[in-house]
Amino acid sequence: MDYFHELHKRTAVRREVQRLRPAMYRVACGWCHDPSLADDLVQEAVEKALRNAGQARDPERLQGWLYSILANCLRDHYRAVHVHEDVDALGESLEDGGAGPEELCSRGQTGRQVRRAVSRLPLGQRQVLILVDLEECSYAEVGEALRIPLGTVMSRLCRARATLRAALAAGLLAERTTRLRSVK
Amino acid sequence: MSDHENISGEMLNAFVDGELDAGEWESLAQRIEADPLLGGEVAALRIAKDRVRNAYAGLPAPAAAPRGRARPGRWAAAAAVFAAAGWFAHAWLFAVPELDPASAYVLANAPASIDSGHVLVHVSTGGQEALGRALDEVEDLLRAARREGRALEVEIVANRSGIDLLEARGAPVAKRIAALRARYANLSLVACGQTLRRLAAGGRKVDLLPGTRVAPSALDEVVDRLRSGWVYVRV
């Protein structure tokens, strides 16, 4: 009897994990800003989830559990490559080296400006922001997924949005200045 | 922000994220309505939220081919790619239409989906200025698409005080929207059933513009459209 129950549960978990895979990939991209790393992270998280399907409390509501596995995979990755371990301080070292300031100022690049600003946030803030804004998770779900108290979810989100607004305002200002210069 | 009339930044964020219970929401909503400074803060937070959502709207698809088992050295390789940040550097958002970034912040972020031709404009505030601006945006989009021979479908969904936009004997905007609809068959109008029921309960019967569809609620409509890959613009 127990065996069949377990089997049923594992099947349900497998189905749900497949369904949520695109969402996991989106979140992973938002957290690390690198598609091939995101791909690896999701792969790793899916393997872990399927291996530990027995631990899932409710096979129909796996999202939070999967995000917490994903967060662990990301943390393990940063540890393995000796990137700073403190999630709150992590950030500056992770910004992309791609676009220079000139590129950032070109017209119609708001999306890139936003992603760049997000990538510069400390990891802890970035994780909360992505789950709330992209995945529309509730604060409680975010707290559960990242194993942090509700108050921390709120303060990280508040700081993340404040930084983002300042960065985007600065970006727009620079853009306008560049445009004015090119008109002169 | 945080010391403004004792309303913390966290509270305003929770307001924007729909995390307050009905009582808290109502009392904060009243204060926000009465205080332009707070209103501005909330609007800025909403924009920040929409911007983040839209900045990731066109993510590249995950690798389709199944990958092998984990290899010990792959994290180092991933780290090298990470530094190069190829995804960020390449122009996943190229072909950005020439729109005023200030007024069309959402549209400017989602050109790929605009090319795919489905835009949902959500109007939830009344006020002639906001409604006029919304229609300016919509008209620009429709005109540009027709000029360039692109297929485009625009849907305006209105709720709360935005419902004024769809009222037949409403203000000048209603006349304008009726004219737009006569000119562009690819523009459709949707009213929020929940708002209509609430108004009816308060004794106000809304006479909608001809051809307006009534959705169960604006939220249902937005969620449906987002699921089908529409670009979402909130005015």
Side-chain angles (χ1 to χ4, degrees), chain A residues 25 32-33 35 39-40 44 77 110-111 115 136 139 157 161 165, chain B residues 13 17 19 41 53 55-56 63 67 74-75 82 87-88 92 109:
Chain A
Y25 180 70
C32 74
H33 290 97
D39 217 22
D40 277 347
E44 179 107 356
H77 162 68
T110 323
R115 293 195 298 277
E136 302 193 329
Y139 290 180
L157 189 63
R161 288 208 180 119
R165 280 171 56 189
Chain B
N13 276 285
D17 292 321
E19 286 282 333
E41 275 298 317
R53 193 167 33 216
Y56 295 86
R67 304 165 74 96
R74 78 199 167 104
W75 286 131
F82 190 65
W87 175 52
F88 262 61
W92 141 43
N109 282 330

PDB file of all heavy atoms in Angstrom, chain A residues 25 32-33 35 39-40 44 77 110-111 115 136 139 157 161 165, chain B residues 13 17 19 41 53 55-56 63 67 74-75 82 87-88 92 109:
ATOM      1  N   TYR A  25      13.508  27.983 -15.180  1.00  0.00           N
ATOM      2  CA  TYR A  25      14.548  28.540 -16.045  1.00  0.00           C
ATOM      3  C   TYR A  25      14.498  30.072 -16.029  1.00  0.00           C
ATOM      4  O   TYR A  25      15.512  30.759 -15.961  1.00  0.00           O
ATOM      5  CB  TYR A  25      14.358  28.016 -17.467  1.00  0.00           C
ATOM      6  CG  TYR A  25      15.378  28.542 -18.433  1.00  0.00           C
ATOM      7  CD1 TYR A  25      16.702  28.129 -18.365  1.00  0.00           C
ATOM      8  CD2 TYR A  25      15.030  29.479 -19.409  1.00  0.00           C
ATOM      9  CE1 TYR A  25      17.647  28.625 -19.246  1.00  0.00           C
ATOM     10  CE2 TYR A  25      15.969  29.971 -20.289  1.00  0.00           C
ATOM     11  CZ  TYR A  25      17.276  29.540 -20.200  1.00  0.00           C
ATOM     12  OH  TYR A  25      18.207  30.042 -21.071  1.00  0.00           O
ATOM     13  N   CYS A  32      20.847  34.655 -12.087  1.00  0.00           N
ATOM     14  CA  CYS A  32      22.271  34.619 -12.428  1.00  0.00           C
ATOM     15  C   CYS A  32      22.613  35.369 -13.718  1.00  0.00           C
ATOM     16  O   CYS A  32      23.770  35.635 -13.981  1.00  0.00           O
ATOM     17  CB  CYS A  32      22.769  33.183 -12.505  1.00  0.00           C
ATOM     18  SG  CYS A  32      22.218  32.307 -13.983  1.00  0.00           S
ATOM     19  N   HIS A  33      21.605  35.714 -14.520  1.00  0.00           N
ATOM     20  CA  HIS A  33      21.828  36.474 -15.745  1.00  0.00           C
ATOM     21  C   HIS A  33      22.788  35.809 -16.711  1.00  0.00           C
ATOM     22  O   HIS A  33      23.561  36.482 -17.385  1.00  0.00           O
ATOM     23  CB  HIS A  33      22.287  37.902 -15.419  1.00  0.00           C
ATOM     24  CG  HIS A  33      21.178  38.702 -14.810  1.00  0.00           C
ATOM     25  ND1 HIS A  33      21.037  38.860 -13.468  1.00  0.00           N
ATOM     26  CD2 HIS A  33      20.142  39.352 -15.366  1.00  0.00           C
ATOM     27  CE1 HIS A  33      19.960  39.572 -13.219  1.00  0.00           C
ATOM     28  NE2 HIS A  33      19.397  39.881 -14.350  1.00  0.00           N
ATOM     29  N   PRO A  35      22.366  32.484 -19.418  1.00  0.00           N
ATOM     30  CA  PRO A  35      21.467  31.398 -19.823  1.00  0.00           C
ATOM     31  C   PRO A  35      22.078  30.005 -19.710  1.00  0.00           C
ATOM     32  O   PRO A  35      21.374  29.059 -19.374  1.00  0.00           O
ATOM     33  CB  PRO A  35      21.134  31.722 -21.282  1.00  0.00           C
ATOM     34  CG  PRO A  35      22.097  32.743 -21.712  1.00  0.00           C
ATOM     35  CD  PRO A  35      22.658  33.411 -20.509  1.00  0.00           C
ATOM     36  N   ASP A  39      20.663  27.130 -17.334  1.00  0.00           N
ATOM     37  CA  ASP A  39      20.318  25.820 -17.849  1.00  0.00           C
ATOM     38  C   ASP A  39      20.898  24.713 -16.967  1.00  0.00           C
ATOM     39  O   ASP A  39      20.217  23.749 -16.613  1.00  0.00           O
ATOM     40  CB  ASP A  39      20.908  25.729 -19.263  1.00  0.00           C
ATOM     41  CG  ASP A  39      19.997  24.963 -20.181  1.00  0.00           C
ATOM     42  OD1 ASP A  39      18.800  24.879 -19.874  1.00  0.00           O
ATOM     43  OD2 ASP A  39      20.485  24.454 -21.182  1.00  0.00           O
ATOM     44  N   ASP A  40      22.164  24.885 -16.600  1.00  0.00           N
ATOM     45  CA  ASP A  40      22.814  23.909 -15.721  1.00  0.00           C
ATOM     46  C   ASP A  40      22.128  23.844 -14.365  1.00  0.00           C
ATOM     47  O   ASP A  40      21.917  22.768 -13.810  1.00  0.00           O
ATOM     48  CB  ASP A  40      24.284  24.297 -15.504  1.00  0.00           C
ATOM     49  CG  ASP A  40      25.152  23.808 -16.657  1.00  0.00           C
ATOM     50  OD1 ASP A  40      24.659  22.989 -17.451  1.00  0.00           O
ATOM     51  OD2 ASP A  40      26.309  24.253 -16.759  1.00  0.00           O
ATOM     52  N   GLU A  44      20.307  20.622 -12.728  1.00  0.00           N
ATOM     53  CA  GLU A  44      20.752  20.127 -11.424  1.00  0.00           C
ATOM     54  C   GLU A  44      19.575  20.073 -10.441  1.00  0.00           C
ATOM     55  O   GLU A  44      19.373  19.086  -9.733  1.00  0.00           O
ATOM     56  CB  GLU A  44      21.824  21.086 -10.901  1.00  0.00           C
ATOM     57  CG  GLU A  44      22.375  20.736  -9.553  1.00  0.00           C
ATOM     58  CD  GLU A  44      23.785  20.193  -9.655  1.00  0.00           C
ATOM     59  OE1 GLU A  44      24.262  20.033 -10.798  1.00  0.00           O
ATOM     60  OE2 GLU A  44      24.380  19.919  -8.611  1.00  0.00           O
ATOM     61  N   HIS A  77      26.906  26.570  -6.356  1.00  0.00           N
ATOM     62  CA  HIS A  77      27.726  26.958  -7.501  1.00  0.00           C
ATOM     63  C   HIS A  77      28.675  28.099  -7.131  1.00  0.00           C
ATOM     64  O   HIS A  77      29.865  28.049  -7.412  1.00  0.00           O
ATOM     65  CB  HIS A  77      26.842  27.390  -8.665  1.00  0.00           C
ATOM     66  CG  HIS A  77      27.564  28.182  -9.695  1.00  0.00           C
ATOM     67  ND1 HIS A  77      28.534  27.629 -10.505  1.00  0.00           N
ATOM     68  CD2 HIS A  77      27.509  29.498 -10.005  1.00  0.00           C
ATOM     69  CE1 HIS A  77      29.032  28.573 -11.284  1.00  0.00           C
ATOM     70  NE2 HIS A  77      28.429  29.712 -11.007  1.00  0.00           N
ATOM     71  N   THR A 110      15.833  50.198 -22.723  1.00  0.00           N
ATOM     72  CA  THR A 110      15.351  50.144 -21.347  1.00  0.00           C
ATOM     73  C   THR A 110      15.422  48.744 -20.763  1.00  0.00           C
ATOM     74  O   THR A 110      15.820  48.563 -19.625  1.00  0.00           O
ATOM     75  CB  THR A 110      13.897  50.652 -21.262  1.00  0.00           C
ATOM     76  OG1 THR A 110      13.766  51.720 -22.178  1.00  0.00           O
ATOM     77  CG2 THR A 110      13.574  51.118 -19.873  1.00  0.00           C
ATOM     78  N   GLY A 111      15.053  47.750 -21.572  1.00  0.00           N
ATOM     79  CA  GLY A 111      15.066  46.375 -21.083  1.00  0.00           C
ATOM     80  C   GLY A 111      16.446  45.976 -20.620  1.00  0.00           C
ATOM     81  O   GLY A 111      16.623  45.402 -19.547  1.00  0.00           O
ATOM     82  N   ARG A 115      17.788  44.969 -16.808  1.00  0.00           N
ATOM     83  CA  ARG A 115      18.464  43.707 -16.475  1.00  0.00           C
ATOM     84  C   ARG A 115      19.843  43.966 -15.886  1.00  0.00           C
ATOM     85  O   ARG A 115      20.275  43.293 -14.957  1.00  0.00           O
ATOM     86  CB  ARG A 115      18.564  42.814 -17.717  1.00  0.00           C
ATOM     87  CG  ARG A 115      17.224  42.316 -18.214  1.00  0.00           C
ATOM     88  CD  ARG A 115      17.375  41.176 -19.190  1.00  0.00           C
ATOM     89  NE  ARG A 115      18.103  41.561 -20.383  1.00  0.00           N
ATOM     90  CZ  ARG A 115      17.559  42.171 -21.434  1.00  0.00           C
ATOM     91  NH1 ARG A 115      16.269  42.444 -21.435  1.00  0.00           N
ATOM     92  NH2 ARG A 115      18.278  42.487 -22.476  1.00  0.00           N
ATOM     93  N   GLU A 136       5.360  36.408  -9.662  1.00  0.00           N
ATOM     94  CA  GLU A 136       4.207  36.834  -8.881  1.00  0.00           C
ATOM     95  C   GLU A 136       3.987  35.966  -7.651  1.00  0.00           C
ATOM     96  O   GLU A 136       2.852  35.628  -7.301  1.00  0.00           O
ATOM     97  CB  GLU A 136       2.964  36.889  -9.753  1.00  0.00           C
ATOM     98  CG  GLU A 136       3.198  37.834 -10.912  1.00  0.00           C
ATOM     99  CD  GLU A 136       1.951  38.223 -11.673  1.00  0.00           C
ATOM    100  OE1 GLU A 136       1.038  37.395 -11.729  1.00  0.00           O
ATOM    101  OE2 GLU A 136       1.914  39.356 -12.168  1.00  0.00           O
ATOM    102  N   TYR A 139       4.653  37.162  -0.729  1.00  0.00           N
ATOM    103  CA  TYR A 139       5.791  37.326   0.170  1.00  0.00           C
ATOM    104  C   TYR A 139       6.011  36.037   0.980  1.00  0.00           C
ATOM    105  O   TYR A 139       7.142  35.629   1.220  1.00  0.00           O
ATOM    106  CB  TYR A 139       5.555  38.496   1.124  1.00  0.00           C
ATOM    107  CG  TYR A 139       5.581  39.864   0.475  1.00  0.00           C
ATOM    108  CD1 TYR A 139       5.371  41.016   1.240  1.00  0.00           C
ATOM    109  CD2 TYR A 139       5.833  40.028  -0.888  1.00  0.00           C
ATOM    110  CE1 TYR A 139       5.399  42.283   0.664  1.00  0.00           C
ATOM    111  CE2 TYR A 139       5.861  41.280  -1.468  1.00  0.00           C
ATOM    112  CZ  TYR A 139       5.635  42.415  -0.688  1.00  0.00           C
ATOM    113  OH  TYR A 139       5.665  43.663  -1.247  1.00  0.00           O
ATOM    114  N   LEU A 157      13.099  43.521  -0.701  1.00  0.00           N
ATOM    115  CA  LEU A 157      12.348  43.986  -1.869  1.00  0.00           C
ATOM    116  C   LEU A 157      12.359  45.509  -1.929  1.00  0.00           C
ATOM    117  O   LEU A 157      12.544  46.119  -2.987  1.00  0.00           O
ATOM    118  CB  LEU A 157      10.918  43.468  -1.770  1.00  0.00           C
ATOM    119  CG  LEU A 157      10.051  43.674  -2.992  1.00  0.00           C
ATOM    120  CD1 LEU A 157      10.612  42.904  -4.178  1.00  0.00           C
ATOM    121  CD2 LEU A 157       8.630  43.200  -2.715  1.00  0.00           C
ATOM    122  N   ARG A 161      14.015  47.660  -4.988  1.00  0.00           N
ATOM    123  CA  ARG A 161      13.279  48.564  -5.878  1.00  0.00           C
ATOM    124  C   ARG A 161      13.828  49.985  -5.784  1.00  0.00           C
ATOM    125  O   ARG A 161      13.863  50.702  -6.790  1.00  0.00           O
ATOM    126  CB  ARG A 161      11.784  48.527  -5.554  1.00  0.00           C
ATOM    127  CG  ARG A 161      11.124  47.223  -5.981  1.00  0.00           C
ATOM    128  CD  ARG A 161       9.648  47.401  -6.308  1.00  0.00           C
ATOM    129  NE  ARG A 161       9.048  46.134  -6.708  1.00  0.00           N
ATOM    130  CZ  ARG A 161       8.047  45.548  -6.058  1.00  0.00           C
ATOM    131  NH1 ARG A 161       7.514  46.116  -4.992  1.00  0.00           N
ATOM    132  NH2 ARG A 161       7.547  44.414  -6.497  1.00  0.00           N
ATOM    133  N   ARG A 165      15.238  51.920  -9.011  1.00  0.00           N
ATOM    134  CA  ARG A 165      14.681  53.205  -9.460  1.00  0.00           C
ATOM    135  C   ARG A 165      15.788  54.229  -9.625  1.00  0.00           C
ATOM    136  O   ARG A 165      15.814  54.977 -10.600  1.00  0.00           O
ATOM    137  CB  ARG A 165      13.642  53.700  -8.453  1.00  0.00           C
ATOM    138  CG  ARG A 165      12.297  53.011  -8.622  1.00  0.00           C
ATOM    139  CD  ARG A 165      11.366  53.361  -7.497  1.00  0.00           C
ATOM    140  NE  ARG A 165      11.165  54.799  -7.358  1.00  0.00           N
ATOM    141  CZ  ARG A 165      10.531  55.359  -6.335  1.00  0.00           C
ATOM    142  NH1 ARG A 165      10.048  54.600  -5.383  1.00  0.00           N
ATOM    143  NH2 ARG A 165      10.370  56.653  -6.278  1.00  0.00           N
TER     144      ARG A 165
ATOM    145  N   ASN B  13       5.425  49.091  -0.882  1.00  0.00           N
ATOM    146  CA  ASN B  13       5.722  47.944  -1.751  1.00  0.00           C
ATOM    147  C   ASN B  13       4.662  46.854  -1.587  1.00  0.00           C
ATOM    148  O   ASN B  13       4.209  46.270  -2.574  1.00  0.00           O
ATOM    149  CB  ASN B  13       7.102  47.369  -1.435  1.00  0.00           C
ATOM    150  CG  ASN B  13       8.208  48.119  -2.150  1.00  0.00           C
ATOM    151  OD1 ASN B  13       8.394  47.955  -3.351  1.00  0.00           O
ATOM    152  ND2 ASN B  13       8.909  48.971  -1.438  1.00  0.00           N
ATOM    153  N   ASP B  17       2.229  45.249  -4.380  1.00  0.00           N
ATOM    154  CA  ASP B  17       2.273  43.815  -4.640  1.00  0.00           C
ATOM    155  C   ASP B  17       1.000  43.091  -4.212  1.00  0.00           C
ATOM    156  O   ASP B  17       0.928  41.864  -4.279  1.00  0.00           O
ATOM    157  CB  ASP B  17       3.468  43.178  -3.904  1.00  0.00           C
ATOM    158  CG  ASP B  17       4.792  43.650  -4.492  1.00  0.00           C
ATOM    159  OD1 ASP B  17       4.858  43.788  -5.717  1.00  0.00           O
ATOM    160  OD2 ASP B  17       5.739  43.888  -3.726  1.00  0.00           O
ATOM    161  N   GLU B  19      -0.220  42.748  -1.185  1.00  0.00           N
ATOM    162  CA  GLU B  19       0.049  41.919  -0.013  1.00  0.00           C
ATOM    163  C   GLU B  19      -0.686  42.393   1.246  1.00  0.00           C
ATOM    164  O   GLU B  19      -0.515  41.816   2.309  1.00  0.00           O
ATOM    165  CB  GLU B  19       1.557  41.913   0.277  1.00  0.00           C
ATOM    166  CG  GLU B  19       2.357  41.084  -0.685  1.00  0.00           C
ATOM    167  CD  GLU B  19       2.280  39.588  -0.395  1.00  0.00           C
ATOM    168  OE1 GLU B  19       2.060  39.219   0.768  1.00  0.00           O
ATOM    169  OE2 GLU B  19       2.435  38.800  -1.337  1.00  0.00           O
ATOM    170  N   GLU B  41       4.886  58.034  -5.425  1.00  0.00           N
ATOM    171  CA  GLU B  41       5.732  56.912  -4.987  1.00  0.00           C
ATOM    172  C   GLU B  41       5.164  55.590  -5.488  1.00  0.00           C
ATOM    173  O   GLU B  41       5.884  54.736  -5.993  1.00  0.00           O
ATOM    174  CB  GLU B  41       5.787  56.868  -3.448  1.00  0.00           C
ATOM    175  CG  GLU B  41       6.836  57.764  -2.839  1.00  0.00           C
ATOM    176  CD  GLU B  41       8.238  57.362  -3.269  1.00  0.00           C
ATOM    177  OE1 GLU B  41       8.522  56.163  -3.283  1.00  0.00           O
ATOM    178  OE2 GLU B  41       9.017  58.249  -3.628  1.00  0.00           O
ATOM    179  N   ARG B  53       9.328  43.055 -14.919  1.00  0.00           N
ATOM    180  CA  ARG B  53       8.586  41.979 -15.573  1.00  0.00           C
ATOM    181  C   ARG B  53       8.832  41.994 -17.088  1.00  0.00           C
ATOM    182  O   ARG B  53       9.066  40.974 -17.706  1.00  0.00           O
ATOM    183  CB  ARG B  53       7.094  42.136 -15.283  1.00  0.00           C
ATOM    184  CG  ARG B  53       6.312  40.907 -15.668  1.00  0.00           C
ATOM    185  CD  ARG B  53       4.913  40.892 -15.129  1.00  0.00           C
ATOM    186  NE  ARG B  53       4.345  42.230 -15.054  1.00  0.00           N
ATOM    187  CZ  ARG B  53       3.534  42.628 -14.091  1.00  0.00           C
ATOM    188  NH1 ARG B  53       3.214  41.807 -13.133  1.00  0.00           N
ATOM    189  NH2 ARG B  53       3.040  43.845 -14.091  1.00  0.00           N
ATOM    190  N   ALA B  55      11.303  43.393 -18.714  1.00  0.00           N
ATOM    191  CA  ALA B  55      12.702  43.227 -19.115  1.00  0.00           C
ATOM    192  C   ALA B  55      13.048  41.754 -19.318  1.00  0.00           C
ATOM    193  O   ALA B  55      13.999  41.432 -20.013  1.00  0.00           O
ATOM    194  CB  ALA B  55      13.633  43.851 -18.080  1.00  0.00           C
ATOM    195  N   TYR B  56      12.278  40.870 -18.711  1.00  0.00           N
ATOM    196  CA  TYR B  56      12.569  39.446 -18.841  1.00  0.00           C
ATOM    197  C   TYR B  56      11.509  38.724 -19.662  1.00  0.00           C
ATOM    198  O   TYR B  56      11.440  37.504 -19.668  1.00  0.00           O
ATOM    199  CB  TYR B  56      12.681  38.789 -17.454  1.00  0.00           C
ATOM    200  CG  TYR B  56      13.851  39.301 -16.654  1.00  0.00           C
ATOM    201  CD1 TYR B  56      13.740  40.444 -15.885  1.00  0.00           C
ATOM    202  CD2 TYR B  56      15.070  38.643 -16.701  1.00  0.00           C
ATOM    203  CE1 TYR B  56      14.817  40.937 -15.168  1.00  0.00           C
ATOM    204  CE2 TYR B  56      16.153  39.116 -15.990  1.00  0.00           C
ATOM    205  CZ  TYR B  56      16.026  40.261 -15.226  1.00  0.00           C
ATOM    206  OH  TYR B  56      17.087  40.742 -14.535  1.00  0.00           O
ATOM    207  N   ALA B  63      17.780  25.236 -23.354  1.00  0.00           N
ATOM    208  CA  ALA B  63      18.309  24.282 -24.330  1.00  0.00           C
ATOM    209  C   ALA B  63      17.364  23.095 -24.455  1.00  0.00           C
ATOM    210  O   ALA B  63      16.920  22.542 -23.457  1.00  0.00           O
ATOM    211  CB  ALA B  63      19.684  23.813 -23.890  1.00  0.00           C
ATOM    212  N   ARG B  67      20.627  17.138 -21.518  1.00  0.00           N
ATOM    213  CA  ARG B  67      22.067  17.222 -21.259  1.00  0.00           C
ATOM    214  C   ARG B  67      22.525  15.997 -20.493  1.00  0.00           C
ATOM    215  O   ARG B  67      21.733  15.296 -19.893  1.00  0.00           O
ATOM    216  CB  ARG B  67      22.359  18.483 -20.462  1.00  0.00           C
ATOM    217  CG  ARG B  67      21.855  19.705 -21.174  1.00  0.00           C
ATOM    218  CD  ARG B  67      21.822  20.867 -20.230  1.00  0.00           C
ATOM    219  NE  ARG B  67      23.166  21.366 -19.969  1.00  0.00           N
ATOM    220  CZ  ARG B  67      23.694  22.376 -20.614  1.00  0.00           C
ATOM    221  NH1 ARG B  67      23.019  22.973 -21.549  1.00  0.00           N
ATOM    222  NH2 ARG B  67      24.898  22.803 -20.302  1.00  0.00           N
ATOM    223  N   ARG B  74      32.266  21.387 -14.953  1.00  0.00           N
ATOM    224  CA  ARG B  74      31.391  22.252 -15.744  1.00  0.00           C
ATOM    225  C   ARG B  74      31.106  23.590 -15.068  1.00  0.00           C
ATOM    226  O   ARG B  74      30.840  24.569 -15.733  1.00  0.00           O
ATOM    227  CB  ARG B  74      30.094  21.540 -16.075  1.00  0.00           C
ATOM    228  CG  ARG B  74      29.124  21.491 -14.959  1.00  0.00           C
ATOM    229  CD  ARG B  74      28.100  20.414 -15.198  1.00  0.00           C
ATOM    230  NE  ARG B  74      27.374  20.175 -13.979  1.00  0.00           N
ATOM    231  CZ  ARG B  74      26.147  20.615 -13.771  1.00  0.00           C
ATOM    232  NH1 ARG B  74      25.532  21.285 -14.684  1.00  0.00           N
ATOM    233  NH2 ARG B  74      25.552  20.363 -12.640  1.00  0.00           N
ATOM    234  N   TRP B  75      31.206  23.629 -13.761  1.00  0.00           N
ATOM    235  CA  TRP B  75      30.936  24.915 -13.103  1.00  0.00           C
ATOM    236  C   TRP B  75      31.965  25.961 -13.492  1.00  0.00           C
ATOM    237  O   TRP B  75      31.656  27.120 -13.681  1.00  0.00           O
ATOM    238  CB  TRP B  75      30.931  24.762 -11.591  1.00  0.00           C
ATOM    239  CG  TRP B  75      29.723  24.076 -11.064  1.00  0.00           C
ATOM    240  CD1 TRP B  75      29.711  23.037 -10.190  1.00  0.00           C
ATOM    241  CD2 TRP B  75      28.351  24.350 -11.354  1.00  0.00           C
ATOM    242  NE1 TRP B  75      28.423  22.642  -9.929  1.00  0.00           N
ATOM    243  CE2 TRP B  75      27.572  23.435 -10.625  1.00  0.00           C
ATOM    244  CE3 TRP B  75      27.707  25.276 -12.176  1.00  0.00           C
ATOM    245  CZ2 TRP B  75      26.197  23.420 -10.676  1.00  0.00           C
ATOM    246  CZ3 TRP B  75      26.319  25.266 -12.230  1.00  0.00           C
ATOM    247  CH2 TRP B  75      25.594  24.341 -11.488  1.00  0.00           C
ATOM    248  N   PHE B  82      29.771  33.054 -17.777  1.00  0.00           N
ATOM    249  CA  PHE B  82      29.133  34.020 -16.903  1.00  0.00           C
ATOM    250  C   PHE B  82      29.803  35.378 -17.020  1.00  0.00           C
ATOM    251  O   PHE B  82      29.165  36.416 -17.155  1.00  0.00           O
ATOM    252  CB  PHE B  82      29.272  33.480 -15.479  1.00  0.00           C
ATOM    253  CG  PHE B  82      28.478  34.230 -14.472  1.00  0.00           C
ATOM    254  CD1 PHE B  82      27.093  34.235 -14.533  1.00  0.00           C
ATOM    255  CD2 PHE B  82      29.116  34.927 -13.471  1.00  0.00           C
ATOM    256  CE1 PHE B  82      26.368  34.925 -13.606  1.00  0.00           C
ATOM    257  CE2 PHE B  82      28.383  35.620 -12.543  1.00  0.00           C
ATOM    258  CZ  PHE B  82      27.012  35.617 -12.600  1.00  0.00           C
ATOM    259  N   TRP B  87      24.504  36.472 -23.040  1.00  0.00           N
ATOM    260  CA  TRP B  87      23.069  36.714 -23.149  1.00  0.00           C
ATOM    261  C   TRP B  87      22.749  38.196 -23.027  1.00  0.00           C
ATOM    262  O   TRP B  87      21.923  38.747 -23.746  1.00  0.00           O
ATOM    263  CB  TRP B  87      22.357  35.908 -22.063  1.00  0.00           C
ATOM    264  CG  TRP B  87      20.902  36.175 -21.996  1.00  0.00           C
ATOM    265  CD1 TRP B  87      20.012  36.132 -23.022  1.00  0.00           C
ATOM    266  CD2 TRP B  87      20.168  36.532 -20.841  1.00  0.00           C
ATOM    267  NE1 TRP B  87      18.760  36.424 -22.564  1.00  0.00           N
ATOM    268  CE2 TRP B  87      18.824  36.674 -21.228  1.00  0.00           C
ATOM    269  CE3 TRP B  87      20.509  36.734 -19.507  1.00  0.00           C
ATOM    270  CZ2 TRP B  87      17.843  37.022 -20.332  1.00  0.00           C
ATOM    271  CZ3 TRP B  87      19.521  37.059 -18.626  1.00  0.00           C
ATOM    272  CH2 TRP B  87      18.206  37.203 -19.036  1.00  0.00           C
ATOM    273  N   PHE B  88      23.479  38.867 -22.128  1.00  0.00           N
ATOM    274  CA  PHE B  88      23.205  40.276 -21.905  1.00  0.00           C
ATOM    275  C   PHE B  88      23.723  41.139 -23.021  1.00  0.00           C
ATOM    276  O   PHE B  88      23.178  42.171 -23.347  1.00  0.00           O
ATOM    277  CB  PHE B  88      23.826  40.724 -20.581  1.00  0.00           C
ATOM    278  CG  PHE B  88      22.811  40.709 -19.531  1.00  0.00           C
ATOM    279  CD1 PHE B  88      22.204  39.516 -19.221  1.00  0.00           C
ATOM    280  CD2 PHE B  88      22.389  41.859 -18.930  1.00  0.00           C
ATOM    281  CE1 PHE B  88      21.221  39.481 -18.293  1.00  0.00           C
ATOM    282  CE2 PHE B  88      21.398  41.824 -18.001  1.00  0.00           C
ATOM    283  CZ  PHE B  88      20.803  40.627 -17.666  1.00  0.00           C
ATOM    284  N   TRP B  92      19.063  40.802 -27.827  1.00  0.00           N
ATOM    285  CA  TRP B  92      17.825  40.042 -27.797  1.00  0.00           C
ATOM    286  C   TRP B  92      16.656  41.011 -27.963  1.00  0.00           C
ATOM    287  O   TRP B  92      15.600  40.682 -28.424  1.00  0.00           O
ATOM    288  CB  TRP B  92      17.817  39.214 -26.508  1.00  0.00           C
ATOM    289  CG  TRP B  92      16.534  39.071 -25.784  1.00  0.00           C
ATOM    290  CD1 TRP B  92      15.316  38.821 -26.316  1.00  0.00           C
ATOM    291  CD2 TRP B  92      16.364  39.128 -24.381  1.00  0.00           C
ATOM    292  NE1 TRP B  92      14.396  38.708 -25.317  1.00  0.00           N
ATOM    293  CE2 TRP B  92      15.005  38.899 -24.126  1.00  0.00           C
ATOM    294  CE3 TRP B  92      17.225  39.341 -23.310  1.00  0.00           C
ATOM    295  CZ2 TRP B  92      14.497  38.886 -22.840  1.00  0.00           C
ATOM    296  CZ3 TRP B  92      16.714  39.326 -22.045  1.00  0.00           C
ATOM    297  CH2 TRP B  92      15.363  39.103 -21.821  1.00  0.00           C
ATOM    298  N   ASN B 109      10.046  47.954 -24.067  1.00  0.00           N
ATOM    299  CA  ASN B 109      10.756  46.801 -23.531  1.00  0.00           C
ATOM    300  C   ASN B 109      10.396  45.499 -24.204  1.00  0.00           C
ATOM    301  O   ASN B 109      11.006  44.494 -23.945  1.00  0.00           O
ATOM    302  CB  ASN B 109      10.439  46.651 -22.048  1.00  0.00           C
ATOM    303  CG  ASN B 109      11.226  47.625 -21.260  1.00  0.00           C
ATOM    304  OD1 ASN B 109      12.319  47.993 -21.658  1.00  0.00           O
ATOM    305  ND2 ASN B 109      10.675  48.057 -20.155  1.00  0.00           N
TER     306      ASN B 109
END
